[in-house]
């Protein structure tokens, strides 16, 4: 019995000698495998007429190259849209040009699929700046965006995230077919860490 106990103790010491350093060495590598994302989104002024819209971005770190999808799902559009306006917050100091912005039919990703543009929607894109230095993007699709079961997205391709981290709220307006004034569609709140 004592030989058995001694052998067990020796085996345990050898196991401890190899196992503990392995665990301690590999722990820092295993801790970054999966970052947990918060399921909470902050939206300013919830009680007024603000409507939260879905969005997706590939990278949320400061100064990283990023692709941002601003979704317009079927329930976000009540009528066919002739024009879409996107108001960019003043604090979102990123150089934008028309080549990096597009409109497309999109498949919104989830657990099993990635977010992906299925078909580009031809459109004229114009970036304007008004007196208060607020930038706006005006998108004029060649044919109206129909209020059907398909989702669309305004895509910022390969832009560099701002230097400052924070929340950036983009507002969207759309001009319905037969209307002369753009109506509020909703807002996206983008997070940059």
């Amino acid at each position: 019995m004592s030989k058995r106990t001694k052998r067990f103790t020796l085996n345990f010491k050898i196991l401890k000698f190899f196992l503990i350093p392995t665990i301690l060495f590999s722990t820092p590598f295993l801790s970054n495998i999966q970052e947990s994302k918060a399921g909470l989104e902050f939206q300013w002024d919830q009680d007024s007429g603000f409507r939260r819209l879905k969005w997706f971005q590939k990278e949320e770190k400061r100064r990283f190259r990023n692709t941002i999808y601003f979704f317009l799902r079927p329930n976000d559009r009540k009528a066919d849209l002739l024009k879409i306006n996107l108001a960019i917050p003043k604090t979102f100091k990123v150089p934008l040009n028309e080549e990096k912005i597009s409109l497309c039919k999109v498949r919104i990703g989830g657990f099993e699929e990635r977010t992906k543009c299925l078909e580009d929607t031809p459109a004229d894109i114009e970036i304007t700046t008004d007196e208060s230095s607020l930038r706006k993007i005006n998108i004029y699709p060649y044919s109206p965006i129909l209020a059907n079961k398909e989702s669309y997205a305004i895509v910022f391709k390969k832009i560099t995230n701002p230097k400052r981290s924070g929340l950036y709220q983009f507002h969207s307006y759309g001009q319905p077919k037969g209307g002369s004034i753009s109506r509020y569609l909703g807002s996206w709140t983008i997070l940059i860490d």
Side-chain angles (χ1 to χ4, degrees):
M1 189 91 159
S2 75
K3 274 187 170 183
R4 202 177 219 186
T5 308
K6 285 182 183 179
R7 187 183 298 166
F8 178 73
T9 307
L10 181 64
N11 287 343
F12 185 69
K13 285 182 181 178
I14 292 172
L15 180 68
K16 201 166 51 170
F17 178 75
F18 288 112
L19 188 63
I20 291 176
T22 305
I23 292 171
L24 291 176
F25 180 74
S26 64
T27 302
F29 297 113
L30 295 175
S31 66
N32 291 332
I33 287 178
Q34 192 174 32
E35 295 179 9
S36 61
K37 305 281 184 188
L40 178 69
E41 180 181 326
F42 178 77
Q43 189 87 17
W44 286 278
D45 204 7
Q46 279 286 348
D47 295 331
S48 68
F50 283 108
R51 232 177 131 220
R52 187 176 327 160
L53 299 177
K54 282 188 76 135
W55 55 275
F56 172 74
Q57 65 181 352
K58 291 191 176 183
E59 187 62 54
E60 63 184 26
K61 295 180 182 160
R62 294 180 298 148
R63 297 182 180 173
F64 272 69
R65 187 161 288 211
N66 194 7
T67 300
I68 303 174
Y69 294 87
F70 299 101
F71 298 124
L72 290 170
R73 298 175 296 172
N75 57 350
D76 299 332
R77 307 181 314 266
K78 295 183 180 167
D80 299 350
L81 297 178
L82 297 175
K83 174 181 158 185
I84 300 170
N85 299 28
L86 181 66
I88 300 172
K90 288 182 187 179
T91 55
F92 194 76
K93 295 179 179 174
V94 171
L96 292 173
N97 56 17
E98 288 85 5
E99 291 83 32
K100 293 184 178 183
I101 301 168
S102 67
L103 178 69
C104 67
K105 285 184 186 175
V106 71
R107 179 184 68 210
I108 300 174
F111 290 111
E112 296 180 12
E113 296 180 329
R114 289 184 174 188
T115 298
K116 181 180 176 183
C117 277
L118 300 174
E119 176 184 332
D120 281 340
T121 304
D124 287 330
I125 297 170
E126 172 185 79
I127 300 173
T128 60
T129 306
D130 62 7
E131 299 84 31
S132 64
S133 72
L134 181 69
R135 290 187 296 174
K136 293 181 182 177
I137 298 174
N138 298 320
I139 301 171
Y140 304 96
Y142 293 164
S143 60
I145 295 176
L146 303 176
N148 56 10
K149 302 249 185 242
E150 296 183 8
S151 295
Y152 288 84
I154 300 167
V155 183
F156 288 1
K157 297 176 194 170
K158 298 179 183 175
I159 63 166
T160 305
N161 283 341
K163 294 177 185 176
R164 295 182 60 194
S165 61
L167 296 170
Y168 297 93
Q169 191 168 44
F170 294 79
H171 302 289
S172 174
Y173 302 90
Q175 180 180 346
K177 195 172 186 179
S180 59
I181 303 172
S182 293
R183 296 182 186 157
Y184 176 73
L185 296 175
S187 298
W188 299 279
T189 304
I190 303 297
L191 170 68
I192 302 295
D193 263 342

